[in-house]
Amino acid sequence: MSMPPLFIVGAPRSGNTLTRRVLMASGQIYIPPETYVIGEIIERWPRWFWLSWREKVWLLCAYFDRHKHRADLDIESFSPFADDAITWPKARQTLPALFDALYAFMGREHGYPAARWGDKTPWNTMHLRGIVRRYPQAWYLHLIRDGRDAVASQIKADMRDLSGSAERWVVANRACLKHLPKGPRTLAMRYEDLVRDPEESFARIFDWAGLRFEPRFLTEMPQKLGDVGVHAHHAQVLRPITPDSIGKWRQSLSPEALTQLSPEFRKMMAELSYQMAD
């Protein structure tokens, strides 16, 4: 039986891609570009009960293959995976086995034949309840960032406007606080710690996840990072780790913009121990 996966969860622009880069530099784990669809598949799987196994395999592949960000995955075709999966014996025909094999397939395609897989899609927070129910024994790394910096970064990346970015940050962190398992399989880490003291912070993450840490992982660039080379908002991931982005919201969020942030945003800031002046 393969090891349970490692899910990096949190709001967008909270260090998810940086953490993926460092973990993959170790060669011990494969984490693809953002997949977007795994949570929806998990939630819809019970509705596919009456489908044949072949239809389930094809439908799962279609979710990945027809998504608008499919090109980010940098996979020529999912057909070799599907052709193999439809031949599996009855005892192997389960959704976890499909995901294990699919991520292993993507890993081999990208040159990472690691036995362990992970996922770092921020959108998973919108389906976190279903993911945790399906994978109660998985590792969950909750990345937390000052909401003002996360909002400013989303706006700069042209993801959402001020109110949409703030709401997305609140909803993501609320889901993590509500649904993540309590216990040693869940670790909360602050983005600010990752960039202020990367060696100590990532050593802690690796140790928690049962992986071997070496300082060189902080500077080595893995191959085949997919979306990192495609989207401008991931460009910082390819540069040395620095704390320069902490507090950068002061350069782009005006005092008037800060007054427009909702009470829910301010409440979540306090709950996550970030000080927000009146």
Side-chain angles (χ1 to χ4, degrees):
M1 180 180 295
S2 62
M3 291 188 69
L6 188 159
F7 290 96
I8 302 171
V9 294
R13 313 304 294 158
S14 295
N16 312 63
T17 306
L18 170 63
T19 304
R20 173 201 176 209
R21 189 260 280 177
V22 176
L23 287 170
M24 283 185 61
S26 75
Q28 301 167 70
I29 186 170
Y30 169 72
I31 303 172
E34 295 179 20
T35 55
Y36 294 98
V37 298
I38 182 174
E40 186 175 352
I41 291 171
I42 286 173
E43 291 179 351
R44 291 182 180 273
W45 184 259
R47 307 180 196 178
W48 302 356
F49 177 78
W50 298 107
L51 298 179
S52 68
W53 176 247
R54 182 181 64 177
E55 290 170 326
K56 291 177 181 178
V57 171
W58 285 356
L59 187 53
L60 179 142
C61 289
Y63 266 81
F64 283 85
D65 203 34
R66 303 305 299 172
H67 193 274
K68 65 179 181 178
H69 294 296
R70 183 253 190 273
D72 292 355
L73 295 175
D74 193 20
I75 298 289
E76 181 177 349
S77 173
F78 288 100
S79 293
F81 162 75
D83 291 343
D84 174 66
I86 62 175
T87 68
W88 291 355
K90 185 72 173 179
R92 193 184 175 190
Q93 295 177 8
T94 67
L95 181 58
L98 267 179
F99 279 138
D100 285 349
L102 177 61
Y103 279 73
F105 168 77
M106 290 191 290
R108 290 191 301 271
E109 289 289 298
H110 291 157
Y112 296 91
R116 191 170 181 183
W117 65 270
D119 196 288
K120 68 96 186 177
T121 310
W123 191 249
N124 284 340
T125 57
M126 307 301 288
H127 302 276
L128 198 53
R129 181 183 181 185
I131 292 173
V132 171
R133 284 185 172 182
R134 176 64 67 172
Y135 287 103
Q137 298 303 315
W139 278 261
Y140 292 94
L141 177 60
H142 178 196
L143 295 182
I144 302 168
R145 187 181 187 183
D146 185 319
R148 295 162 296 188
D149 275 328
V151 165
S153 187
Q154 288 185 68
I155 295 172
K156 181 180 179 181
D158 201 25
M159 293 179 174
R160 299 169 184 85
D161 61 12
L162 176 69
S163 61
S165 298
E167 181 181 7
R168 182 73 182 88
W169 180 82
V170 171
V171 170
N173 283 293
R174 183 187 296 137
C176 290
L177 295 176
K178 181 177 181 179
H179 297 302
L180 290 181
K182 304 298 187 288
R185 292 294 182 97
T186 297
L187 177 66
M189 291 291 294
R190 294 183 181 273
Y191 171 84
E192 293 80 10
D193 293 332
L194 295 182
V195 297
R196 281 192 179 117
D197 192 346
E199 185 166 341
E200 180 178 335
S201 298
F202 278 102
R204 181 183 176 193
I205 291 172
F206 273 69
D207 181 67
W208 160 78
L211 301 170
R212 184 191 76 261
F213 175 73
E214 296 180 27
R216 63 184 177 87
F217 300 156
L218 301 174
T219 55
E220 291 185 355
M221 296 296 163
Q223 62 177 340
K224 293 281 190 177
L225 286 176
D227 55 355
V228 173
V230 174
H231 301 291
H233 60 263
H234 287 323
Q236 184 63 38
V237 172
L238 300 176
R239 300 169 186 153
I241 301 173
T242 73
D244 294 349
S245 57
I246 297 177
K248 216 168 184 178
W249 60 268
R250 293 182 177 88
Q251 302 175 19
S252 56
L253 297 183
S254 67
E256 291 75 18
L258 293 175
T259 64
Q260 297 175 34
L261 295 172
S262 67
E264 290 78 12
F265 181 90
R266 295 171 179 273
K267 181 179 179 182
M268 182 58 68
M269 285 282 286
E271 192 167 352
L272 296 177
S273 300
Y274 288 101
Q275 299 300 319
M276 191 167 181
D278 293 333

